PDB file of all heavy atoms in Angstrom:
ATOM      1  N   SER A 237       5.602 -17.485  -4.651  1.00  0.00           N
ATOM      2  CA  SER A 237       6.659 -17.981  -5.539  1.00  0.00           C
ATOM      3  C   SER A 237       6.801 -19.546  -5.480  1.00  0.00           C
ATOM      4  O   SER A 237       7.585 -20.053  -6.058  1.00  0.00           O
ATOM      5  CB  SER A 237       8.003 -17.333  -5.002  1.00  0.00           C
ATOM      6  OG  SER A 237       8.335 -17.958  -3.663  1.00  0.00           O
ATOM      7  N   GLY A 238       5.798 -20.166  -4.768  1.00  0.00           N
ATOM      8  CA  GLY A 238       5.801 -21.596  -4.590  1.00  0.00           C
ATOM      9  C   GLY A 238       5.959 -21.970  -3.172  1.00  0.00           C
ATOM     10  O   GLY A 238       6.326 -21.237  -2.280  1.00  0.00           O
ATOM     11  N   PRO A 239       5.548 -23.209  -2.841  1.00  0.00           N
ATOM     12  CA  PRO A 239       5.514 -23.662  -1.512  1.00  0.00           C
ATOM     13  C   PRO A 239       6.980 -23.825  -0.937  1.00  0.00           C
ATOM     14  O   PRO A 239       7.932 -24.150  -1.676  1.00  0.00           O
ATOM     15  CB  PRO A 239       4.898 -25.031  -1.563  1.00  0.00           C
ATOM     16  CG  PRO A 239       5.002 -25.509  -2.935  1.00  0.00           C
ATOM     17  CD  PRO A 239       5.036 -24.292  -3.765  1.00  0.00           C
ATOM     18  N   VAL A 240       7.162 -23.631   0.323  1.00  0.00           N
ATOM     19  CA  VAL A 240       8.431 -23.775   0.983  1.00  0.00           C
ATOM     20  C   VAL A 240       8.768 -25.172   1.193  1.00  0.00           C
ATOM     21  O   VAL A 240       7.875 -25.978   1.598  1.00  0.00           O
ATOM     22  CB  VAL A 240       8.441 -23.027   2.380  1.00  0.00           C
ATOM     23  CG1 VAL A 240       9.698 -23.234   3.192  1.00  0.00           C
ATOM     24  CG2 VAL A 240       8.179 -21.527   2.200  1.00  0.00           C
ATOM     25  N   PRO A 241       9.961 -25.728   0.908  1.00  0.00           N
ATOM     26  CA  PRO A 241      10.266 -27.089   1.057  1.00  0.00           C
ATOM     27  C   PRO A 241      10.256 -27.375   2.615  1.00  0.00           C
ATOM     28  O   PRO A 241      10.228 -26.575   3.444  1.00  0.00           O
ATOM     29  CB  PRO A 241      11.716 -27.168   0.605  1.00  0.00           C
ATOM     30  CG  PRO A 241      11.874 -25.976  -0.322  1.00  0.00           C
ATOM     31  CD  PRO A 241      11.055 -24.922   0.167  1.00  0.00           C
ATOM     32  N   PRO A 242      10.264 -28.733   2.879  1.00  0.00           N
ATOM     33  CA  PRO A 242      10.237 -29.092   4.347  1.00  0.00           C
ATOM     34  C   PRO A 242      11.379 -28.420   5.064  1.00  0.00           C
ATOM     35  O   PRO A 242      12.500 -28.199   4.567  1.00  0.00           O
ATOM     36  CB  PRO A 242      10.393 -30.634   4.213  1.00  0.00           C
ATOM     37  CG  PRO A 242       9.820 -30.945   2.908  1.00  0.00           C
ATOM     38  CD  PRO A 242      10.226 -29.842   1.973  1.00  0.00           C
ATOM     39  N   VAL A 243      11.029 -28.012   6.369  1.00  0.00           N
ATOM     40  CA  VAL A 243      11.950 -27.174   7.115  1.00  0.00           C
ATOM     41  C   VAL A 243      12.323 -28.030   8.388  1.00  0.00           C
ATOM     42  O   VAL A 243      11.501 -28.592   8.996  1.00  0.00           O
ATOM     43  CB  VAL A 243      11.228 -25.873   7.686  1.00  0.00           C
ATOM     44  CG1 VAL A 243      12.104 -25.101   8.562  1.00  0.00           C
ATOM     45  CG2 VAL A 243      10.874 -25.006   6.430  1.00  0.00           C
ATOM     46  N   ASP A 244      13.646 -28.002   8.656  1.00  0.00           N
ATOM     47  CA  ASP A 244      14.169 -28.619   9.872  1.00  0.00           C
ATOM     48  C   ASP A 244      13.898 -27.551  11.030  1.00  0.00           C
ATOM     49  O   ASP A 244      14.430 -26.495  11.025  1.00  0.00           O
ATOM     50  CB  ASP A 244      15.636 -28.887   9.674  1.00  0.00           C
ATOM     51  CG  ASP A 244      16.347 -29.464  10.973  1.00  0.00           C
ATOM     52  OD1 ASP A 244      15.588 -29.645  11.993  1.00  0.00           O
ATOM     53  OD2 ASP A 244      17.570 -29.612  10.931  1.00  0.00           O
ATOM     54  N   PRO A 245      13.167 -28.013  12.038  1.00  0.00           N
ATOM     55  CA  PRO A 245      12.842 -26.988  13.167  1.00  0.00           C
ATOM     56  C   PRO A 245      14.112 -26.541  13.780  1.00  0.00           C
ATOM     57  O   PRO A 245      14.096 -25.443  14.516  1.00  0.00           O
ATOM     58  CB  PRO A 245      12.032 -27.854  14.060  1.00  0.00           C
ATOM     59  CG  PRO A 245      11.391 -28.956  13.301  1.00  0.00           C
ATOM     60  CD  PRO A 245      12.485 -29.239  12.136  1.00  0.00           C
ATOM     61  N   GLN A 246      15.272 -27.199  13.679  1.00  0.00           N
ATOM     62  CA  GLN A 246      16.536 -26.749  14.311  1.00  0.00           C
ATOM     63  C   GLN A 246      16.900 -25.402  13.728  1.00  0.00           C
ATOM     64  O   GLN A 246      17.620 -24.698  14.446  1.00  0.00           O
ATOM     65  CB  GLN A 246      17.634 -27.778  14.095  1.00  0.00           C
ATOM     66  CG  GLN A 246      17.582 -28.926  15.059  1.00  0.00           C
ATOM     67  CD  GLN A 246      17.681 -28.462  16.523  1.00  0.00           C
ATOM     68  OE1 GLN A 246      16.708 -28.605  17.245  1.00  0.00           O
ATOM     69  NE2 GLN A 246      18.798 -28.042  16.934  1.00  0.00           N
ATOM     70  N   ILE A 247      16.416 -25.012  12.518  1.00  0.00           N
ATOM     71  CA  ILE A 247      16.788 -23.667  12.012  1.00  0.00           C
ATOM     72  C   ILE A 247      16.247 -22.620  12.957  1.00  0.00           C
ATOM     73  O   ILE A 247      16.862 -21.538  13.047  1.00  0.00           O
ATOM     74  CB  ILE A 247      16.233 -23.506  10.545  1.00  0.00           C
ATOM     75  CG1 ILE A 247      16.868 -22.271   9.851  1.00  0.00           C
ATOM     76  CG2 ILE A 247      14.699 -23.362  10.566  1.00  0.00           C
ATOM     77  CD1 ILE A 247      16.494 -22.205   8.459  1.00  0.00           C
ATOM     78  N   LEU A 248      15.122 -22.895  13.598  1.00  0.00           N
ATOM     79  CA  LEU A 248      14.582 -21.832  14.479  1.00  0.00           C
ATOM     80  C   LEU A 248      15.378 -21.698  15.755  1.00  0.00           C
ATOM     81  O   LEU A 248      15.580 -20.642  16.268  1.00  0.00           O
ATOM     82  CB  LEU A 248      13.125 -22.320  14.855  1.00  0.00           C
ATOM     83  CG  LEU A 248      12.194 -22.584  13.728  1.00  0.00           C
ATOM     84  CD1 LEU A 248      10.823 -23.044  14.232  1.00  0.00           C
ATOM     85  CD2 LEU A 248      11.999 -21.320  12.870  1.00  0.00           C
ATOM     86  N   ALA A 249      16.009 -22.825  16.202  1.00  0.00           N
ATOM     87  CA  ALA A 249      16.822 -22.807  17.360  1.00  0.00           C
ATOM     88  C   ALA A 249      18.078 -22.027  17.125  1.00  0.00           C
ATOM     89  O   ALA A 249      18.606 -21.189  17.844  1.00  0.00           O
ATOM     90  CB  ALA A 249      17.118 -24.183  17.837  1.00  0.00           C
ATOM     91  N   ARG A 250      18.718 -22.463  15.889  1.00  0.00           N
ATOM     92  CA  ARG A 250      20.088 -21.845  15.504  1.00  0.00           C
ATOM     93  C   ARG A 250      19.970 -20.317  15.360  1.00  0.00           C
ATOM     94  O   ARG A 250      21.008 -19.604  15.485  1.00  0.00           O
ATOM     95  CB  ARG A 250      20.548 -22.495  14.207  1.00  0.00           C
ATOM     96  CG  ARG A 250      21.036 -23.939  14.465  1.00  0.00           C
ATOM     97  CD  ARG A 250      21.889 -24.398  13.237  1.00  0.00           C
ATOM     98  NE  ARG A 250      21.161 -24.394  11.973  1.00  0.00           N
ATOM     99  CZ  ARG A 250      20.455 -25.474  11.537  1.00  0.00           C
ATOM    100  NH1 ARG A 250      20.373 -26.602  12.278  1.00  0.00           N
ATOM    101  NH2 ARG A 250      19.772 -25.345  10.381  1.00  0.00           N
ATOM    102  N   ASN A 251      18.846 -19.828  14.958  1.00  0.00           N
ATOM    103  CA  ASN A 251      18.675 -18.438  14.660  1.00  0.00           C
ATOM    104  C   ASN A 251      18.137 -17.720  15.906  1.00  0.00           C
ATOM    105  O   ASN A 251      17.709 -16.469  15.727  1.00  0.00           O
ATOM    106  CB  ASN A 251      17.805 -18.142  13.466  1.00  0.00           C
ATOM    107  CG  ASN A 251      18.645 -18.482  12.168  1.00  0.00           C
ATOM    108  OD1 ASN A 251      19.256 -17.624  11.625  1.00  0.00           O
ATOM    109  ND2 ASN A 251      18.510 -19.747  11.728  1.00  0.00           N
ATOM    110  N   GLY A 252      18.070 -18.240  17.059  1.00  0.00           N
ATOM    111  CA  GLY A 252      17.630 -17.496  18.224  1.00  0.00           C
ATOM    112  C   GLY A 252      16.211 -17.743  18.775  1.00  0.00           C
ATOM    113  O   GLY A 252      15.483 -16.865  19.111  1.00  0.00           O
ATOM    114  N   SER A 253      15.884 -18.974  18.812  1.00  0.00           N
ATOM    115  CA  SER A 253      14.542 -19.438  19.385  1.00  0.00           C
ATOM    116  C   SER A 253      13.398 -18.679  18.687  1.00  0.00           C
ATOM    117  O   SER A 253      12.479 -18.041  19.276  1.00  0.00           O
ATOM    118  CB  SER A 253      14.502 -19.140  20.939  1.00  0.00           C
ATOM    119  OG  SER A 253      15.525 -19.801  21.559  1.00  0.00           O
ATOM    120  N   LEU A 254      13.420 -18.862  17.378  1.00  0.00           N
ATOM    121  CA  LEU A 254      12.385 -18.093  16.547  1.00  0.00           C
ATOM    122  C   LEU A 254      11.000 -18.877  16.536  1.00  0.00           C
ATOM    123  O   LEU A 254      10.958 -19.932  16.922  1.00  0.00           O
ATOM    124  CB  LEU A 254      12.816 -18.012  15.083  1.00  0.00           C
ATOM    125  CG  LEU A 254      14.185 -17.385  14.828  1.00  0.00           C
ATOM    126  CD1 LEU A 254      14.540 -17.493  13.307  1.00  0.00           C
ATOM    127  CD2 LEU A 254      14.229 -15.962  15.407  1.00  0.00           C
ATOM    128  N   PHE A 255      10.028 -18.050  16.180  1.00  0.00           N
ATOM    129  CA  PHE A 255       8.699 -18.599  16.024  1.00  0.00           C
ATOM    130  C   PHE A 255       8.309 -18.593  14.518  1.00  0.00           C
ATOM    131  O   PHE A 255       8.597 -17.678  13.770  1.00  0.00           O
ATOM    132  CB  PHE A 255       7.607 -17.752  16.728  1.00  0.00           C
ATOM    133  CG  PHE A 255       7.830 -17.664  18.285  1.00  0.00           C
ATOM    134  CD1 PHE A 255       8.667 -16.737  18.822  1.00  0.00           C
ATOM    135  CD2 PHE A 255       7.071 -18.610  19.069  1.00  0.00           C
ATOM    136  CE1 PHE A 255       8.846 -16.670  20.192  1.00  0.00           C
ATOM    137  CE2 PHE A 255       7.280 -18.493  20.458  1.00  0.00           C
ATOM    138  CZ  PHE A 255       8.069 -17.581  21.044  1.00  0.00           C
ATOM    139  N   LEU A 256       7.617 -19.680  14.077  1.00  0.00           N
ATOM    140  CA  LEU A 256       7.245 -19.819  12.721  1.00  0.00           C
ATOM    141  C   LEU A 256       5.775 -20.270  12.743  1.00  0.00           C
ATOM    142  O   LEU A 256       5.412 -21.221  13.357  1.00  0.00           O
ATOM    143  CB  LEU A 256       8.057 -20.917  11.962  1.00  0.00           C
ATOM    144  CG  LEU A 256       7.549 -21.334  10.625  1.00  0.00           C
ATOM    145  CD1 LEU A 256       7.555 -20.267   9.639  1.00  0.00           C
ATOM    146  CD2 LEU A 256       8.368 -22.577  10.111  1.00  0.00           C
ATOM    147  N   THR A 257       4.969 -19.544  11.976  1.00  0.00           N
ATOM    148  CA  THR A 257       3.559 -19.830  11.880  1.00  0.00           C
ATOM    149  C   THR A 257       3.139 -19.672  10.387  1.00  0.00           C
ATOM    150  O   THR A 257       3.618 -18.929   9.638  1.00  0.00           O
ATOM    151  CB  THR A 257       2.667 -18.892  12.776  1.00  0.00           C
ATOM    152  OG1 THR A 257       1.313 -19.165  12.629  1.00  0.00           O
ATOM    153  CG2 THR A 257       2.897 -17.383  12.324  1.00  0.00           C
ATOM    154  N   ARG A 258       2.110 -20.544  10.082  1.00  0.00           N
ATOM    155  CA  ARG A 258       1.506 -20.485   8.726  1.00  0.00           C
ATOM    156  C   ARG A 258       0.071 -20.246   8.928  1.00  0.00           C
ATOM    157  O   ARG A 258      -0.756 -21.167   8.915  1.00  0.00           O
ATOM    158  CB  ARG A 258       1.782 -21.837   8.057  1.00  0.00           C
ATOM    159  CG  ARG A 258       1.142 -21.855   6.632  1.00  0.00           C
ATOM    160  CD  ARG A 258       1.630 -20.770   5.692  1.00  0.00           C
ATOM    161  NE  ARG A 258       1.143 -20.939   4.322  1.00  0.00           N
ATOM    162  CZ  ARG A 258       0.040 -20.419   3.880  1.00  0.00           C
ATOM    163  NH1 ARG A 258      -0.699 -19.625   4.702  1.00  0.00           N
ATOM    164  NH2 ARG A 258      -0.340 -20.581   2.605  1.00  0.00           N
ATOM    165  N   PRO A 259      -0.358 -18.930   9.132  1.00  0.00           N
ATOM    166  CA  PRO A 259      -1.731 -18.613   9.515  1.00  0.00           C
ATOM    167  C   PRO A 259      -2.626 -18.547   8.211  1.00  0.00           C
ATOM    168  O   PRO A 259      -2.137 -18.328   7.109  1.00  0.00           O
ATOM    169  CB  PRO A 259      -1.587 -17.210  10.191  1.00  0.00           C
ATOM    170  CG  PRO A 259      -0.397 -16.587   9.407  1.00  0.00           C
ATOM    171  CD  PRO A 259       0.547 -17.769   9.105  1.00  0.00           C
ATOM    172  N   THR A 260      -3.859 -18.700   8.460  1.00  0.00           N
ATOM    173  CA  THR A 260      -4.853 -18.570   7.406  1.00  0.00           C
ATOM    174  C   THR A 260      -6.079 -17.700   7.923  1.00  0.00           C
ATOM    175  O   THR A 260      -6.340 -17.683   9.108  1.00  0.00           O
ATOM    176  CB  THR A 260      -5.521 -19.878   6.865  1.00  0.00           C
ATOM    177  OG1 THR A 260      -6.077 -20.560   7.938  1.00  0.00           O
ATOM    178  CG2 THR A 260      -4.366 -20.675   6.260  1.00  0.00           C
TER     179      THR A 260
END
Side-chain angles (χ1 to χ4, degrees):
S237 68
V240 175
V243 175
D244 179 359
Q246 281 299 111
I247 192 175
L248 305 177
R250 289 195 298 270
N251 284 273
S253 300
L254 304 180
F255 296 87
L256 168 63
T257 182
R258 179 58 175 91
T260 60

